[in-house]
Amino acid sequence: MTKIEKLLAELKIKNKKALTVFLTAGYPDIKTTEKIILEIEKHSDIIELGIPFSDPIADGPTIQESSQKSLEKKTNLKKIFSIVENIRNRTNIPIILMGYLNPIYRFGLKSFFQKAKKIGIDGLIIPDLAYEENTEIAKLAKKYNMAFIPLVSLTTEKNRAKKIAKSSTGFVYVTAVTGITGARKSVSDDLIPYLTMMRKETKKPLLVGFGISKPEHIKKLKNYCDGFIVGSAVIELIRQKKSVKNFLKGLRCAISNF
Amino acid sequence: MLPNKNGYYGQFGGRFVPETLMSAIFELENFYKKAKSDKNFKRELSFYLKNYAGRPTPLYFAKNLSRKFGSKIYLKREDLCHTGSHKINNALGQVLLAKKMGKTRIIAETGAGQHGVATATVCALFGIKCDVYMGTADIKRQSLNVFRMKLLGANVVPVHSGSRTLKDAINEAMRDWVTNVKTTYYLLGSCVGPHPYPEIVRDFQSVIGKETRKQILEVEKKLPDYLVACVGGGSNSIGLFHPFYSDKNIKFIGVEAGGLGLSSGKHSASLEKGKTGILHGTKSFVLQDKNGQILPTHSVSAGLDYPGVGPEHSFYKQTGRASYVSVTDCEALDGFKLLSETEGIIPALESAHAIAYIPKLARKIKKLRFYLCKSV
């Protein structure tokens, strides 16, 4: 069992939902990313660190801009590893890396997993890695006992979604919108039936991300999934130099109040 | 026959896209498989290629150029196609496919604007709504084609991100596609992107090579020694090369955009200076830094200004089936003048790269007479 699987199993027993926070690593700079992780670690269950990429085809304007700014500060995988190394003795919160395949591929898949395991990274999400291409990476994740977290989408049909869920060793990332990342006003009507179908087909935890930005979204969906991922809404707060902590407290409140 | 069922040409190709697009990719693959063996589809495409696009295009014996370089040089005149480039071959094929799939909206990316114009043209013909993504740097340097697209009823969407060229236009088109995948058909213009696009584009462009083979055999009763064509994403070159793949005596030469010189870092020579990587859904040679970030490119020709290349070209390079060279902006402009002055044919800046390589090739080859076909 990976650390992520254990955590989600514990939360399930306590009837709690997981709150995962996405941060673009190195935005606005490496030190601030470290600081924010330590500030919010008590208010979230999992941290997802985004590896910035020059051509993020699955991302909307908010994450595109934060990635661009982070790259201008010369953020690379080595520096992202150093963030985790620096904070690992101060927090035990599970940390997942999320990034497009090319920077990881260039780093070398094996070296990537060796290094990530050594410094205490707990999982990996690659949004442009289709199920058909995931064999090698899923195998390495297994070898290093790290969570491999695949995505399913509203356009993924049942049998395929089942296969994808089976390859997960953390949770299944359910994208809440047919589209790119970015805060949305409301959640799609198709989502509840989709989550209900997924719940029937797999025992793996289901976390919903893409477009989740308001307590209302969480209230509407929380009975159908095991947790949430918030990204663009958090990045937007960081951009405006506003408190992420208060925002997360609001979401937490929506999660725990029945 | 390549690619294999997962869309691989040797170790290159594949499908590296967000899960949201996978159902659309399978749908496209299935429709294309059916269309390929459907007589009616083939008949319809041939009809439009002949009567609308003006095919077959001539294989022109460039007498003056041949004399100058002591060789026999033939030019495959894709510039005489309707809309002025080979892009119409692929646009016609894919729009017919999109219609079969019941898609009501078409999106495309464009660099030089030739693919955008071809797409806008075919969409006008069939009355389909069309949005074309184009980097603002390209909009500026290719304003005539922007004008043509608008005249044809297409909506040109300016892309302000990144280097504001072809690469960024593809990013934005893919984001649109992810968002509107149920109604929208993405009409990729080059042999790049996730499988099955490189195969589809190659097949629709193979009409170039198939005609060339027939035409050269009619005149010369033998096949050429060399095939030369420019390579950006690589659609016109793969269209010329692919039908000759098994004729091992024919040498393929792809000419990349050398920009300000390969050592300047300001070029678009993915096959010569790139490393294996993943860009826009496919594994191929990619211009990237040591951290795997995609590098900005440069070329005087907007159509070649791209940091990736079709996976089949990467395969040809790795297996030695084709060789890839580059000419600089400056040399390309010399090629541009050369063809204009010797043959009275003003080539596109993209094709001018291939023309510019002819004097270099002529110097290299000892044998005085060789046959060469080149796509203009």
Side-chain angles (χ1 to χ4, degrees):
Chain A
M1 236 187 177
T2 63
K3 186 164 145 189
I4 302 284
E5 283 174 312
K6 267 182 223 155
L7 169 84
L8 292 170
E10 280 164 25
L11 287 175
K12 198 173 184 83
I13 291 166
K14 293 181 199 156
N15 206 13
K16 280 184 173 167
K17 308 289 171 189
L19 183 58
T20 300
V21 179
F22 172 93
L23 301 169
T24 302
Y27 176 73
D29 54 59
I30 293 284
K31 283 285 150 227
T32 311
T33 303
E34 286 182 19
K35 207 180 88 198
I36 295 172
I37 297 174
L38 295 172
E39 263 170 29
I40 64 173
E41 60 126 9
K42 292 275 178 292
H43 305 277
S44 54
D45 299 297
I46 300 170
I47 300 283
E48 210 180 289
L49 272 185
I51 306 162
F53 182 49
S54 52
D55 296 83
I57 54 163
D59 285 303
T62 307
I63 294 180
Q64 278 179 48
E65 199 202 319
S66 65
S67 303
Q68 200 47 47
K69 290 264 158 65
S70 172
L71 288 174
E72 282 163 19
K73 293 267 167 78
K74 310 240 178 287
T75 302
N76 57 26
L77 263 174
K78 231 172 109 186
K79 289 186 185 167
I80 296 171
F81 287 138
S82 80
I83 297 178
V84 183
E85 254 174 333
N86 286 340
I87 57 165
R88 252 305 166 234
N89 55 3
R90 282 175 278 173
T91 174
N92 199 29
I93 189 162
I95 296 175
I96 295 168
L97 292 190
M98 177 167 190
Y100 293 86
L101 183 54
N102 200 51
I104 300 169
Y105 183 81
R106 189 79 257 138
F107 192 87
L109 296 181
K110 220 178 136 193
S111 328
F112 174 86
F113 275 97
Q114 276 168 348
K115 179 79 183 166
K117 182 70 193 175
K118 197 175 139 212
I119 61 170
I121 284 164
D122 303 293
L124 180 63
I125 305 174
I126 304 177
D128 59 343
L129 186 71
Y131 174 76
E132 284 69 18
E133 305 285 351
N134 79 13
T135 321
E136 194 182 353
I137 288 177
K139 214 190 261 173
L140 280 165
K142 200 167 198 172
K143 183 177 165 196
Y144 288 94
N145 197 32
M146 274 167 62
F148 174 72
I149 297 152
L151 294 98
V152 299
S153 147
L154 293 169
T155 59
T156 312
E157 53 89 25
K158 189 170 86 178
N159 287 328
R160 180 175 172 83
K162 230 167 127 170
K163 272 197 305 191
I164 292 175
K166 215 176 153 194
S167 72
S168 159
T169 50
F171 57 84
V172 179
Y173 192 133
V174 183
T175 49
V177 295
T178 304
I180 53 180
T181 61
R184 304 289 205 281
K185 282 201 182 84
S186 58
V187 296
S188 158
D189 289 336
D190 301 335
L191 198 52
I192 290 176
Y194 195 82
L195 287 168
T196 311
M197 179 278 286
M198 285 298 290
R199 178 78 312 147
K200 245 191 269 168
E201 300 299 330
T202 179
K203 289 202 164 61
K204 300 279 169 78
L206 307 172
L207 268 65
V208 181
F210 277 43
I212 303 296
S213 56
K214 292 179 176 176
E216 295 93 283
H217 302 160
I218 286 180
K219 273 182 206 154
K220 191 171 167 188
L221 298 171
K222 68 180 177 190
N223 292 332
Y224 304 91
C225 65
D226 302 294
F228 299 91
I229 301 150
V230 284
S232 296
V234 171
I235 304 291
E236 190 52 37
L237 290 172
I238 296 172
R239 192 181 72 82
Q240 297 171 10
K241 299 195 169 66
K242 286 186 183 159
S243 163
V244 178
K245 207 159 82 179
N246 290 342
F247 171 73
L248 294 179
K249 280 182 184 164
L251 295 186
R252 182 65 85 188
C253 182
I255 289 184
S256 27
N257 288 337
F258 283 88
Chain B
M1 187 64 181
L2 292 169
N4 72 12
K5 72 173 171 38
N6 289 319
Y8 274 87
Y9 307 80
Q11 66 179 81
F12 303 104
R15 287 168 287 211
F16 297 89
V17 291
E19 175 59 24
T20 305
L21 291 179
M22 284 308 288
S23 61
I25 278 175
F26 289 130
E27 186 192 15
L28 176 60
E29 202 180 331
N30 287 335
F31 269 92
Y32 182 60
K33 239 185 239 161
K34 270 184 244 153
K36 238 169 134 172
S37 52
D38 177 355
K39 275 194 195 121
N40 290 330
F41 182 85
K42 281 199 259 189
R43 198 178 304 131
E44 199 180 2
L45 179 57
S46 308
F47 172 86
Y48 284 106
L49 285 174
K50 180 174 174 228
N51 298 297
Y52 188 71
R55 302 205 72 91
T57 55
L59 182 71
Y60 168 69
F61 175 59
K63 196 173 63 185
N64 301 330
L65 207 60
S66 297
R67 197 182 313 122
K68 197 171 164 84
F69 297 107
S71 58
K72 280 192 150 183
I73 300 165
Y74 286 85
L75 303 173
K76 181 62 175 160
R77 295 290 308 275
E78 290 302 295
D79 56 320
L80 295 178
C81 279
H82 180 39
T83 72
S85 86
H86 70 293
K87 293 293 186 189
I88 192 92
N89 306 331
N90 172 51
L92 271 170
Q94 287 202 51
V95 169
L96 289 177
L97 202 57
K99 265 182 40 169
K100 263 189 167 316
M101 294 168 73
K103 302 288 177 183
T104 53
R105 173 178 175 252
I106 282 183
I107 55 169
E109 81 295 337
T110 198
Q114 289 301 136
H115 174 57
V117 168
T119 304
T121 298
V122 183
C123 285
L125 173 66
F126 291 107
I128 303 176
K129 191 175 160 355
C130 169
D131 292 304
V132 181
Y133 287 92
M134 190 171 189
T136 50
D138 289 339
I139 287 181
K140 219 167 156 186
R141 58 177 164 170
Q142 300 289 129
S143 57
L144 180 60
N145 277 341
V146 176
F147 179 73
R148 291 167 81 200
M149 283 184 268
K150 287 182 178 164
L151 212 55
L152 291 158
N155 175 35
V156 179
V157 190
V159 177
H160 301 277
S161 58
S163 51
R164 308 188 313 281
T165 55
L166 181 56
K167 165 186 84 107
D168 312 285
I170 297 182
N171 287 343
E172 216 45 47
M174 289 188 93
R175 289 182 189 120
D176 180 318
W177 193 29
V178 173
T179 308
N180 302 297
V181 63
K182 284 171 192 155
T183 57
T184 297
Y185 182 92
Y186 180 22
L187 207 168
L188 241 169
S190 196
C191 54
V192 299
H195 176 67
Y197 281 107
E199 181 188 2
I200 291 178
V201 176
R202 174 199 75 196
D203 290 353
F204 287 143
Q205 293 297 0
S206 286
V207 67
I208 303 172
K210 285 178 191 159
E211 285 177 9
T212 302
R213 170 187 289 272
K214 206 171 143 218
Q215 290 164 322
I216 194 81
L217 285 175
E218 264 167 29
V219 193
E220 293 287 350
K221 311 279 184 276
K222 62 175 273 194
L223 291 171
D225 299 319
Y226 290 89
L227 297 172
V228 181
C230 64
V231 183
S235 71
N236 99 90
S237 41
I238 211 71
L240 177 66
F241 295 169
H242 181 78
F244 294 95
Y245 181 78
S246 305
D247 303 292
K248 301 288 180 195
N249 291 327
I250 304 178
K251 294 186 180 71
F252 300 165
I253 300 176
V255 186
E256 293 193 294
L260 305 180
L262 292 192
S263 54
S264 70
K266 292 192 164 67
H267 57 78
S268 309
S270 329
L271 286 157
E272 285 158 288
K273 286 286 175 180
K275 290 201 164 63
T276 306
I278 294 99
L279 176 66
H280 295 145
T282 190
K283 189 186 273 184
S284 195
F285 281 99
V286 177
L287 290 169
Q288 52 184 311
D289 69 13
K290 64 181 195 311
N291 295 314
Q293 304 296 341
I294 309 307
L295 286 169
T297 51
H298 165 82
S299 170
V300 66
S301 89
L304 304 181
D305 202 346
Y306 181 64
V309 66
E312 192 162 353
H313 282 293
S314 292
F315 173 70
Y316 284 7
K317 179 188 160 83
Q318 208 183 39
T319 53
R321 181 62 190 92
S323 49
Y324 295 89
V325 297
S326 64
V327 303
T328 63
D329 284 354
C330 221
E331 291 168 323
L333 292 172
D334 288 343
F336 182 80
K337 268 196 256 166
L338 173 68
L339 192 68
S340 304
E341 289 169 3
T342 55
E343 295 291 345
I345 297 169
I346 302 173
L349 281 175
E350 289 74 17
S351 311
H353 282 73
I355 299 291
Y357 190 68
I358 293 176
K360 288 188 171 189
L361 183 63
R363 271 198 302 275
K364 249 168 85 178
I365 293 163
K366 300 279 183 282
K367 192 170 74 174
L368 265 177
R369 288 181 74 81
F370 66 95
Y371 300 87
L372 174 137
C373 295
K374 130 98 204 57
S375 161
V376 174

